[in-house]
């Protein structure tokens, strides 16, 4: 980036035909520089761009936060898996007694019909 900044500084320092010629010779590099400059200004519209050191600290902080969130996610996911398995076990246990419950209710319904008749 430093080389492109030097090219841009030199481009800006020139005037007239010299600047046009310089622009033709370094068109790709100047385009890349202007594109990067536009992207940075979109991220920092007030024009205050943090230093590289501040950005490195921010990146390290974000990595630490990500590590903590992953750890938290892992433990929550493990608890979810255990609860899900417990739910399946309970449902399977209840299914064992479901046919008996249906038979008992049918028997009660027959008795009620007999009593009513």
């Amino acid at each position: 980036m430093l080389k492109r900044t030097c090219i841009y500084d030199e481009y800006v320092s020139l005037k007239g035909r010299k600047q046009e010629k310089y622009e033709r010779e370094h068109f790709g590099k100047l385009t890349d520089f202007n594109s990067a400059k536009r992207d940075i200004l979109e991220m920092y519209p007030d024009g205050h761009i943090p230093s590289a050191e501040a950005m490195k600290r921010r990146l390290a902080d974000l990595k630490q936060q990500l590590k903590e969130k992953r750890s938290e996610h892992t433990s929550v996911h493990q608890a979810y898996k255990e609860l899900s398995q417990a739910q399946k076990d309970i449902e399977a246990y209840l299914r064992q007694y479901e046919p008996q419950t249906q038979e008992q209710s049918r028997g009660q319904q027959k008795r009620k019909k007999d009593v009513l008749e």
Side-chain angles (χ1 to χ4, degrees), residues 37-92:
K37 183 179 176 182
R38 185 180 55 250
D39 292 345
I40 288 172
L41 289 176
E42 283 178 11
M43 288 188 272
Y44 302 100
D46 61 353
H48 175 56
I49 301 169
S51 67
E53 189 61 37
M55 293 178 100
K56 286 178 184 178
R57 283 193 306 270
R58 176 76 174 135
L59 179 62
D61 290 344
L62 290 172
K63 285 182 178 181
Q64 181 62 32
Q65 288 177 12
L66 178 62
K67 185 178 177 181
E68 291 168 3
K69 294 289 183 184
R70 280 186 178 156
S71 173
E72 182 181 341
H73 175 267
T74 301
S75 63
V76 169
H77 184 68
Q78 183 63 32
Y80 164 77
K81 285 172 44 177
E82 290 172 6
L83 290 172
S84 179
Q85 184 61 44
Q87 180 183 10
K88 289 176 185 176
D89 293 344
I90 291 170
E91 289 172 354

